[in-house]
DNA sequence: CCAGAAATCGGAAACGTTTCCAGTTGATCG
DNA sequence: CGATCAACTGGAAACGTTTCCGATTTCTGG
């Protein structure tokens, strides 16, 4: 009997109404993914990974944009109380008390991708971007570079802040912060990177040593840096080595291909999605704290220079 | 009184339950966007544009992946009958009768981005990618190129088929198809582009004229082509001019920056979203047929060569 | 001051599903 | 053959909202 009904159901093209079902079951089978800028390749990668994990479990992914203030992100988190999703994955650019409180008060599970909020009992997936910058610096020193410039994005963002700390720590450890110089670009774009890199390259330090390496806080800034280097008639990696961060397709296909620190965006997305599934399955909130380690992908833009060791 | 209630509502952080509301109003305030590969920059751009248009009207965007067969896309369209969205925007790689029928039978408005389905009474937003290829060919001829190769992706896809037709038409019109040669890459990627471009460049035509221009069916293939050209010790645009299609950020920042035919992905997304809004507002289905024209963005990769006119 | 109209208000139905319970049927064992 | 128990079946309640309708109150004009 039951199979005859099933047969008839498929025959007639009947599928149960999701809304009635949701109302009764108090479950929407939807998960929201919220970021400031859905065009950013890093977030696209995360979204694709989240979708990939959640889809087989019957969950749909709803895209939301947060705006770039913690305030608007908090508003969005509060709007979850209207009950259109079963959980939220959010990657905020900046975090403040209001946002933390909104997340803590959320009626549905929330997982944060970005900085660890373990201290507040919030499930989060973080990465060690500071350490990633450190590994880029180490790689440059190992391949014979002597004087390193840092091209960062805005310092009042979570990534900008962490990466700055990473650079300062790494250069302090290596040579007391000497032979290191930093410059902040307007934002994480190629154009801003070119502008800031020009400033960085124009500076002549006291001891007269020229920059022979630039660590950029993401791949777009790295491309900007390469442009600025070439404007001066210098070559990459011959005169100046350049590293990026995020390991985007962009950087892989650029010429020269760009040495980049992968922060495992797809992996972070997958992990966050898995935590969300566990949470909806009744796991203890605030218990999941995951760290996805950075890994350096060495490519052409930091090739050691024959003979001279890369310094001049 | 009503305002006191409103005040109390915000005070207590109350927001009406979306599900109950949807059940009663028979409206979910959600629109689905379905494509085969959400990682593709073109689709990302569309999605961002759709989101941008729909968000202010209170609609959420749900991401779906179709798989790349018309069959799985049709299944997805049929699944709309469960009523989780108010409308669908879909951009199928391939179209067949089953898909057309599924769309016609859909209980909610569907807008197709891709090939025009006006003949079937389906609202669609299309572009003239064939004409776009034509304008690339024309530009190359105007800047003195003499022998043109075409680097296409799979011919059994809607874009691949249209672009091939565009190239054949344009070269037939210009010189009876002489001095033109085509090669099909495995798919629309850099690696496949490099491989196919090698084959293309290796061919020595009867009259001995070497290729001095390559028209690629998208920007990734164009980058692949540039790699293959450089492998032979030739330069772009000096020896060989290269054009791409889609006008991605990728191509803009590549060196040389790539001349590309913009198909207005963002614009197509916006238009589709607007049609969806009209349809949900009671507009006549099947009436909206929009064409977003291609436009050539000339950049470094097709710069005319001084003196020689680019031919050798 | 009253009749009628307008505005306001409260209650009930409806949306489509799942879940629960009571009632019925069928089977098994004493 | 009868009693007990299991399995199955059908009906009703519940989920949270909006909408509709009738009833009550308020307002307006004669």
């Amino acid at each position: 009997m039951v199979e005859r009904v099933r047969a008839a159901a498929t025959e007639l093209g009947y599928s149960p109404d999701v809304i009635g079902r949701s109302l009764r079951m108090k479950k929407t089978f939807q998960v929201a993914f919220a970021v400031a800028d859905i065009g950013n390749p890093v977030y696209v990668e995360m979204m694709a990974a989240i979708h990939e994990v959640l889809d087989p479990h019957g969950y749909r992914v709803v895209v939301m944009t947060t705006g770039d203030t913690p305030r608007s992100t908090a508003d969005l988190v509060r709007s979850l109380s209207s009950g259109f999703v079963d959980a939220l994955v959010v990657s905020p650019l900046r975090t403040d008390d209001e946002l933390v409180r909104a997340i803590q008060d959320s009626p549905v599970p929330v997982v944060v991708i970005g900085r660890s909020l373990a201290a507040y009992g919030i499930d989060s997936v973080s990465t060690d971007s500071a350490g990633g910058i450190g590994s880029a610096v180490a790689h440059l020193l190992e391949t014979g570079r002597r004087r390193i410039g840092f091209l960062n994005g805005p310092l009042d963002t979570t990534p900008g802040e962490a990466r700055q700390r990473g650079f300062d720590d790494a250069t302090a450890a290596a040579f007391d912060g000497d032979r290191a110089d930093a410059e902040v670009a307007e934002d994480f774009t190629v154009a801003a990177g070119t502008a800031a890199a020009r400033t960085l390259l124009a500076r002549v330090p006291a001891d007269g040593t020229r920059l022979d390496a630039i660590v950029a806080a993401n791949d777009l800034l790295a491309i900007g840096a390469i442009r600025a280097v070439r404007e001066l008639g210098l070559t990459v990696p011959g005169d100046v080595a350049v590293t990026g961060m995020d390991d985007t397709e962009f950087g892989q296909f650029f010429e020269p291909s760009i040495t980049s620190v992968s922060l495992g965006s797809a992996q972070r997305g997958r992990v966050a999605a898995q935590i969300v599934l566990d949470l909806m399955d009744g796991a203890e909130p605030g218990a999941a704290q995951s760290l996805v380690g950075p890994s350096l992908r060495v490519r052409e833009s930091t090739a050691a220079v024959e003979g001279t060791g890369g310094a001049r």
Side-chain angles (χ1 to χ4, degrees), chain A residues 1 5 16-17 28 32 36 120 136 200 216 241 300:
Chain A
M1 184 58 204
V5 155
D17 183 288
T28 62
Y120 303 97
L200 193 59
E300 296 163 2

Side-chain angles (χ1 to χ4, degrees), chain A residues 173-186:
Chain A
F175 35 64
D176 294 334
D178 280 359
R179 311 208 311 265
D181 197 0
E183 184 66 31
V184 172
E186 291 273 324

Side-chain angles (χ1 to χ4, degrees), chain A residues 118-182:
Chain A
Y120 303 97
I122 296 174
D123 298 85
S124 50
V125 179
S126 52
T127 181
D128 181 16
S129 60
I133 294 289
S135 69
V137 169
H139 165 67
L140 290 169
L141 295 176
E142 278 165 21
T143 50
R145 305 292 168 167
R146 287 277 159 268
R147 175 155 211 112
I148 303 179
F150 184 47
L151 190 59
N152 199 3
L155 292 176
D156 60 346
T157 59
T158 302
E161 187 271 325
R163 290 162 204 199
Q164 187 68 47
R165 189 161 32 78
F167 183 75
D168 293 344
D169 289 358
T171 51
F175 35 64
D176 294 334
D178 280 359
R179 311 208 311 265
D181 197 0

Side-chain angles (χ1 to χ4, degrees), chain A residues 5 18 22 24 29 46 50 71 83-84 88 102 106 110 132 152 162 172 179 199 218 233 236 242 249 265 271 276 295:
Chain A
V5 155
V18 169
S22 292
R24 177 63 233 232
F29 289 95
M46 279 182 196
I50 291 170
R71 184 60 190 272
F84 63 98
L88 168 72
S106 165
V110 175
N152 199 3
R179 311 208 311 265
T199 313
N218 83 357
V236 176
V242 173
E249 258 200 328
S265 307
V271 170
V276 155
S295 69

Side-chain angles (χ1 to χ4, degrees), chain A residues 32-275:
Chain A
F33 176 57
V35 289
D37 168 25
I38 193 56
N40 186 316
V42 171
Y43 296 136
V44 170
E45 225 176 286
M46 279 182 196
M47 181 181 69
I50 291 170
H51 182 272
E52 203 176 291
V53 172
L54 259 29
D55 193 60
H57 288 82
Y59 287 93
R60 291 182 294 275
V61 175
V62 178
V63 181
M64 320 223 55
T65 47
T66 56
D68 54 2
T69 71
R71 184 60 190 272
S72 51
T73 310
D75 282 345
L76 184 139
V77 172
R78 279 188 285 262
S79 79
L80 297 180
S81 64
S82 64
F84 63 98
V85 287
D86 298 335
L88 168 72
V89 177
V90 60
S91 184
L93 233 44
R94 306 163 221 257
T95 318
D96 67 358
D97 283 357
E98 188 189 0
L99 178 54
V100 166
R101 222 169 313 117
I103 293 176
Q104 289 167 333
D105 293 348
S106 165
V108 299
V110 175
V111 174
V112 173
I113 298 183
R115 128 173 130 82
S116 169
L117 297 175
Y120 303 97
I122 296 174
D123 298 85
S124 50
V125 179
S126 52
T127 181
D128 181 16
S129 60
I133 294 289
S135 69
V137 169
H139 165 67
L140 290 169
L141 295 176
E142 278 165 21
T143 50
R145 305 292 168 167
R146 287 277 159 268
R147 175 155 211 112
I148 303 179
F150 184 47
L151 190 59
N152 199 3
L155 292 176
D156 60 346
T157 59
T158 302
E161 187 271 325
R163 290 162 204 199
Q164 187 68 47
R165 189 161 32 78
F167 183 75
D168 293 344
D169 289 358
T171 51
F175 35 64
D176 294 334
D178 280 359
R179 311 208 311 265
D181 197 0
E183 184 66 31
V184 172
E186 291 273 324
D187 50 38
F188 288 98
T189 61
V190 174
T194 307
R198 280 191 200 119
T199 313
L200 193 59
L201 290 162
R203 284 197 208 138
V204 179
D207 64 1
T209 359
R210 251 296 193 40
L211 276 185
D212 58 4
I214 294 179
V215 172
N218 83 357
D219 281 2
L220 293 178
L221 291 175
I223 290 174
I226 293 176
R227 303 206 140 187
V229 168
R230 288 180 175 165
E231 282 175 3
L232 296 175
L234 302 174
T235 64
V236 176
D239 298 302
V240 181
V242 173
T243 70
M245 183 167 248
D246 284 343
D247 188 34
T248 57
E249 258 200 328
F250 228 172
Q252 293 167 36
F253 292 125
F254 199 75
E255 303 201 348
S257 59
I258 297 174
T259 295
S260 189
V261 178
S262 167
L263 261 24
S265 307
Q267 178 64 10
R268 281 185 288 161
R270 270 191 295 271
V271 170
Q274 191 55 56
I275 295 176

Side-chain angles (χ1 to χ4, degrees), chain A residues 19-34:
Chain A
I19 304 296
R21 166 173 244 259
S22 292
L23 183 61
R24 177 63 233 232
M25 298 181 73
K26 294 184 162 301
K27 195 146 174 43
T28 62
F29 289 95
Q30 295 193 146
V31 171
F33 176 57

